[in-house]
Amino acid sequence: MSYYCPHTKEDIKAMLGAIGVNSVDDLFKDIKPSYKPKSFDLPKGKSEMEVMDYFQKLAATNCSSIAKFIGGGFYDHYIPAVADALSSRSEFYTAYTPYQPECSQGTLQAVYEYQSAICALTGMEIANASLYDGGTALYEAAMMATKITGRNKIVVDGGVNPIYRKILYTYTKNLHIDFVEIPVSHSQSTRAEMFKYFDDKTAGVILQNPNFFGAIDDHTDIIEKAHSVGAIAIESVYPISLGLLKSPREMNADIATGEGQSMGLPLSFGGPYLGFMATKKEFARKMPGRIAGVTVDKNGKRGFVLTLQAREQHIRREKATSNICSNEALCAMRAIIYLASLGKEGLRELAQLNHDKAEFAKTLLEKIKGVEVKRNSPTFNEFTVLLPKDADSVVNAMIDKNFFAGIPLGRFYKDMEKYLLVAVTEKRSKKEIEDFAVALKSVI
């Protein structure tokens, strides 16, 4: 078995000859020696059999059987086999972003169906063809608010996912946007504190339901107050929770965003993820990315087209809604397959299961001496636990007992070093939850 090498010496010689240089050193002679790496530190070549053996042993070191009680915006949900089976078909798997509608009818139809599902889920009228992730979707929504209102102050609830907030502030670092962040408790949004900052300079308010602590809230009153000063209301949502909870539209939000990983995408060491966005029809032309639509040709035959893509490559830069140049079409495809496989009733049952299992976990954990389950507000499938010791040390100890116990909140919030954010999805069995409680009791 020969060693694997993408190019033979003859290949390299032929390529160098085609561009008129004699050697690789000649190819890079314009680069100063001080800028060149002394070594790439590459090992000697291996045969295919050796490479397979190496990676199989490396993969075996992963702990794939550990029970996950960790969430924070990204969750361990079951993925029906149909999601892998259909999304891995080559006509979808290899399709590039649809620039030319007439060449991509299948992909465009999938995108159209995805948009329709997001609208049904959020209750909004228009959805785009996906964004990179939940955090960048929130950033794009904030930019929409400034463009719609012509104002530059954004009020952000402290219960919005801290990862999303970090993305938001990073993307806007060099823009003239004033952010006001409202302090958070382990409960719902603090109205009185938030309303102090609503005035005629406020472009928008950013809310999240359930918030980062899993707290469920009805933001209707906040949104009404925001509208009274001419501001845009942005609601970040957890899509699975919408099987049970009030939708952004029912609260009269103007823009709904969220992370679509829970809809058929594996956690996969951090991506790729899927940002979704939906809004009211009146704001369609302020929405970034693409919108696929359905129409008929001159013979009355149904077809799909890219209806709107107000971005820099198609219109003047100053008229562009965003510089976003791609979407997450394959991830969106998995999302629509996932939602279609569940159906409306299936999603409701799934949401109920997530809620009920988390409530069961609460009842077990609060029986442990020294552990306090925060019950300041109803929660969906995630809740906060106050421990008698540093949450980081507890999480580390729980790994040895084969549990990802949750997210230590001290990583994101001051004075919360003893708080742990625990998530329970439908994948956690009754025995796993019971074993989790026993293990937690033993490490505190």
Side-chain angles (χ1 to χ4, degrees), residues 82-98 107-108 110-111 114 129-131 260 263-266 272-275 326-338:
V82 67
D84 283 336
L86 294 183
S87 66
S88 61
R89 288 179 62 94
S90 61
E91 57 267 47
F92 296 129
Y93 205 74
T94 59
Y96 187 50
T97 302
T107 301
L108 282 170
V111 167
Y114 161 79
S130 76
L131 297 164
M263 300 184 289
L265 297 175
Y273 289 150
L274 168 69
S326 187
N327 63 13
E328 301 281 291
L330 187 62
C331 297
M333 165 82 75
R334 292 181 66 94
I336 182 58
I337 294 170
Y338 177 87

Coordinates of all heavy atoms in Angstrom, one line a residue, residues 82-98 107-108 110-111 114 129-131 260 263-266 272-275 326-338:
V82 N -34.7 10.3 9.2 CA -35.1 10.9 7.9 C -34.3 12.2 7.6 O -34.1 12.5 6.4 CB -36.6 11.2 7.8 CG1 -37.0 12.3 8.8 CG2 -37.1 11.5 6.4
A83 N -33.9 12.9 8.6 CA -33.1 14.1 8.4 C -31.8 13.9 7.7 O -31.4 14.5 6.7 CB -32.9 14.9 9.7
D84 N -31.1 12.8 8.2 CA -29.8 12.4 7.5 C -30.1 11.8 6.1 O -29.4 12.2 5.2 CB -29.1 11.4 8.4 CG -28.4 12.1 9.6 OD1 -28.1 13.3 9.5 OD2 -28.2 11.4 10.6
A85 N -31.1 11.0 6.1 CA -31.4 10.3 4.8 C -31.7 11.2 3.7 O -31.1 11.1 2.5 CB -32.5 9.3 5.0
L86 N -32.5 12.2 3.9 CA -32.9 13.1 2.8 C -31.9 14.2 2.6 O -31.6 14.5 1.4 CB -34.3 13.7 3.1 CG -35.5 12.7 3.2 CD1 -36.8 13.4 3.4 CD2 -35.6 11.9 1.8
S87 N -31.4 14.8 3.6 CA -30.5 15.9 3.4 C -29.2 15.5 2.8 O -28.4 16.3 2.3 CB -30.3 16.7 4.7 OG -29.6 15.9 5.7
S88 N -28.8 14.2 2.9 CA -27.5 13.7 2.4 C -27.7 13.3 0.9 O -26.7 12.8 0.3 CB -27.0 12.6 3.2 OG -27.9 11.5 3.2
R89 N -28.9 13.4 0.3 CA -29.0 13.1 -1.1 C -28.1 14.1 -1.9 O -28.0 15.3 -1.6 CB -30.4 13.3 -1.6 CG -31.4 12.2 -1.1 CD -32.8 12.5 -1.6 NE -32.9 12.5 -3.0 CZ -33.2 11.4 -3.7 NH1 -33.4 10.3 -3.2 NH2 -33.2 11.5 -5.1
S90 N -27.4 13.6 -2.9 CA -26.3 14.4 -3.5 C -26.9 15.6 -4.2 O -26.2 16.7 -4.2 CB -25.6 13.5 -4.6 OG -26.5 13.1 -5.6
E91 N -28.1 15.6 -4.7 CA -28.7 16.8 -5.3 C -28.8 18.0 -4.4 O -28.8 19.1 -4.8 CB -30.0 16.5 -6.1 CG -31.1 16.0 -5.2 CD -31.1 14.4 -5.2 OE1 -30.1 13.8 -5.0 OE2 -32.2 13.9 -5.4
F92 N -29.0 17.7 -3.1 CA -29.1 18.7 -2.0 C -27.7 19.0 -1.4 O -27.3 20.1 -1.2 CB -30.0 18.3 -0.9 CG -31.5 18.2 -1.4 CD1 -32.2 17.1 -1.1 CD2 -32.1 19.2 -2.1 CE1 -33.5 16.9 -1.5 CE2 -33.4 19.1 -2.6 CZ -34.1 17.9 -2.3
Y93 N -27.0 17.9 -1.2 CA -25.7 18.0 -0.4 C -24.7 18.8 -1.2 O -23.8 19.4 -0.6 CB -25.2 16.5 -0.2 CG -24.3 16.4 1.0 CD1 -24.8 16.4 2.3 CD2 -22.9 16.2 0.9 CE1 -24.0 16.3 3.4 CE2 -22.1 16.1 2.0 CZ -22.7 16.2 3.2 OH -21.8 16.0 4.3
T94 N -24.7 18.7 -2.5 CA -23.7 19.4 -3.3 C -24.1 20.7 -3.8 O -23.3 21.4 -4.5 CB -23.2 18.5 -4.4 OG1 -24.3 18.2 -5.3 CG2 -22.6 17.2 -3.9
A95 N -25.4 21.0 -3.6 CA -25.9 22.3 -4.3 C -25.2 23.5 -3.7 O -25.1 23.6 -2.4 CB -27.4 22.3 -4.1
Y96 N -24.8 24.4 -4.5 CA -24.3 25.7 -4.0 C -25.4 26.6 -3.7 O -26.6 26.4 -4.1 CB -23.3 26.2 -5.1 CG -22.5 27.4 -4.6 CD1 -21.9 27.4 -3.4 CD2 -22.5 28.6 -5.4 CE1 -21.1 28.5 -3.0 CE2 -21.8 29.7 -5.0 CZ -21.1 29.6 -3.7 OH -20.4 30.7 -3.3
T97 N -25.1 27.7 -3.0 CA -26.1 28.7 -2.7 C -26.8 29.1 -4.0 O -26.2 29.4 -5.0 CB -25.4 30.0 -2.1 OG1 -24.7 29.6 -1.0 CG2 -26.4 31.0 -1.8
P98 N -28.1 29.1 -4.0 CA -28.9 29.3 -5.3 C -28.8 30.8 -5.8 O -29.6 31.6 -5.4 CB -30.3 28.9 -4.9 CG -30.4 29.2 -3.4 CD -29.0 28.9 -2.9
T107 N -33.7 23.1 -4.7 CA -33.2 23.9 -3.6 C -34.1 25.0 -3.2 O -34.3 25.3 -2.1 CB -31.7 24.3 -3.8 OG1 -30.9 23.2 -4.1 CG2 -31.2 25.1 -2.7
L108 N -34.5 25.7 -4.2 CA -35.4 26.9 -4.0 C -36.7 26.5 -3.4 O -37.2 27.2 -2.5 CB -35.6 27.6 -5.3 CG -34.5 28.5 -5.8 CD1 -34.7 29.0 -7.2 CD2 -34.3 29.7 -4.8
A110 N -37.1 23.9 -1.4 CA -36.8 23.5 0.0 C -36.7 24.8 0.8 O -37.2 24.9 1.9 CB -35.5 22.7 0.0
V111 N -36.0 25.8 0.3 CA -35.9 27.1 1.0 C -37.3 27.7 1.2 O -37.6 28.3 2.3 CB -35.0 28.1 0.2 CG1 -35.0 29.5 0.7 CG2 -33.5 27.5 0.2
Y114 N -39.0 25.9 3.9 CA -38.4 26.3 5.2 C -38.9 27.6 5.7 O -39.3 27.8 6.8 CB -36.9 26.3 5.0 CG -36.1 27.1 6.1 CD1 -35.9 26.5 7.3 CD2 -35.7 28.4 5.8 CE1 -35.2 27.3 8.3 CE2 -35.1 29.1 6.8 CZ -34.8 28.6 8.1 OH -34.2 29.3 9.0
A129 N -34.1 33.3 4.0 CA -33.6 32.0 3.7 C -32.4 31.6 4.6 O -31.5 30.9 4.1 CB -33.2 31.9 2.2
S130 N -32.5 32.0 5.8 CA -31.6 31.6 6.9 C -30.4 32.5 7.0 O -29.9 33.1 6.0 CB -31.2 30.1 6.8 OG -30.2 29.9 5.7
L131 N -29.8 32.5 8.2 CA -28.6 33.2 8.5 C -27.6 32.3 9.1 O -27.9 31.1 9.3 CB -28.9 34.4 9.4 CG -29.8 35.4 8.8 CD1 -30.4 36.3 9.8 CD2 -29.1 36.3 7.7
G260 N -31.5 27.8 15.0 CA -32.2 26.6 14.5 C -31.5 25.3 14.8 O -32.0 24.3 14.3
M263 N -33.5 22.1 15.5 CA -34.4 21.6 14.5 C -33.6 20.7 13.5 O -33.3 21.0 12.4 CB -35.1 22.7 13.7 CG -35.9 23.6 14.6 SD -36.9 24.8 13.7 CE -35.6 26.0 13.2
G264 N -33.1 19.6 14.1 CA -32.5 18.6 13.2 C -31.0 18.7 12.9 O -30.5 18.0 12.1
L265 N -30.3 19.6 13.7 CA -28.9 19.7 13.5 C -28.1 19.2 14.7 O -28.5 19.5 15.8 CB -28.5 21.2 13.3 CG -29.1 21.9 12.1 CD1 -28.8 23.4 12.1 CD2 -28.6 21.3 10.8
P266 N -27.1 18.4 14.5 CA -26.3 17.8 15.6 C -25.5 18.9 16.3 O -25.1 19.9 15.6 CB -25.4 16.8 14.9 CG -25.3 17.2 13.5 CD -26.6 17.9 13.2
P272 N -21.9 23.2 11.9 CA -22.5 24.5 11.6 C -23.9 24.7 12.2 O -24.6 23.7 12.4 CB -22.6 24.5 10.1 CG -22.7 23.1 9.7 CD -21.9 22.3 10.8
Y273 N -24.3 25.9 12.5 CA -25.6 26.2 13.1 C -26.4 26.9 12.1 O -26.1 27.1 10.9 CB -25.4 27.0 14.4 CG -24.9 26.1 15.5 CD1 -24.1 26.7 16.5 CD2 -25.1 24.7 15.6 CE1 -23.6 25.9 17.5 CE2 -24.6 24.0 16.6 CZ -23.8 24.6 17.6 OH -23.3 23.8 18.6
L274 N -27.6 27.4 12.5 CA -28.6 27.9 11.6 C -29.3 29.1 12.3 O -30.0 28.9 13.3 CB -29.6 26.8 11.2 CG -30.9 27.3 10.5 CD1 -30.5 27.7 9.1 CD2 -31.8 26.1 10.4
G275 N -29.2 30.3 11.7 CA -29.9 31.4 12.3 C -31.2 31.6 11.5 O -31.2 31.5 10.2
S326 N -24.2 34.7 2.1 CA -24.5 33.3 1.9 C -25.6 33.0 2.9 O -26.1 33.8 3.7 CB -23.3 32.5 2.2 OG -23.6 31.1 1.9
N327 N -26.1 31.8 2.8 CA -27.1 31.4 3.8 C -26.7 29.9 4.2 O -25.7 29.4 3.9 CB -28.5 31.4 3.2 CG -28.7 30.5 2.0 OD1 -27.9 29.6 1.8 ND2 -29.8 30.7 1.4
E328 N -27.6 29.3 5.0 CA -27.3 28.0 5.5 C -28.3 27.0 4.9 O -29.0 26.4 5.6 CB -27.4 28.0 7.0 CG -26.5 29.0 7.7 CD -25.1 28.5 7.8 OE1 -24.9 27.5 8.6 OE2 -24.2 29.0 7.1
A329 N -28.2 27.0 3.6 CA -29.3 26.2 2.8 C -29.4 24.8 3.3 O -30.5 24.3 3.4 CB -29.0 26.3 1.3
L330 N -28.3 24.1 3.4 CA -28.4 22.7 3.8 C -28.9 22.5 5.2 O -29.7 21.6 5.5 CB -27.0 22.0 3.6 CG -27.0 20.5 3.8 CD1 -27.8 19.8 2.8 CD2 -25.6 19.9 3.8
C331 N -28.4 23.4 6.1 CA -29.0 23.4 7.5 C -30.4 23.7 7.5 O -31.2 23.1 8.3 CB -28.2 24.3 8.3 SG -26.4 24.0 8.5
A332 N -30.9 24.7 6.7 CA -32.3 25.0 6.6 C -33.1 23.8 6.0 O -34.2 23.5 6.5 CB -32.5 26.2 5.7
M333 N -32.5 23.1 5.1 CA -33.1 21.9 4.6 C -33.4 20.9 5.7 O -34.4 20.3 5.8 CB -32.2 21.3 3.5 CG -32.5 19.8 3.1 SD -33.8 19.8 1.9 CE -32.9 20.3 0.5
R334 N -32.4 20.7 6.5 CA -32.5 19.7 7.7 C -33.6 20.2 8.6 O -34.4 19.4 9.1 CB -31.2 19.6 8.4 CG -30.1 18.8 7.6 CD -28.9 18.7 8.5 NE -29.1 17.8 9.6 CZ -28.9 16.5 9.6 NH1 -28.4 15.9 8.6 NH2 -29.1 15.8 10.7
A335 N -33.7 21.5 8.8 CA -34.7 22.1 9.7 C -36.1 21.8 9.1 O -37.0 21.4 9.9 CB -34.5 23.6 9.8
I336 N -36.4 22.0 7.8 CA -37.7 21.8 7.3 C -38.0 20.3 7.3 O -39.2 19.9 7.5 CB -37.9 22.4 5.9 CG1 -39.3 22.2 5.4 CG2 -36.9 21.9 4.9 CD1 -40.4 22.8 6.2
I337 N -37.0 19.4 7.0 CA -37.3 18.0 7.1 C -37.7 17.6 8.6 O -38.6 16.8 8.8 CB -36.0 17.2 6.7 CG1 -35.7 17.4 5.2 CG2 -36.2 15.7 7.0 CD1 -34.4 16.9 4.7
Y338 N -36.9 18.2 9.5 CA -37.2 17.9 10.9 C -38.6 18.3 11.3 O -39.4 17.5 11.9 CB -36.2 18.6 11.8 CG -36.4 18.5 13.3 CD1 -35.8 17.4 14.0 CD2 -37.1 19.4 14.0 CE1 -36.0 17.3 15.3 CE2 -37.2 19.3 15.4 CZ -36.7 18.2 16.0 OH -36.9 18.1 17.4

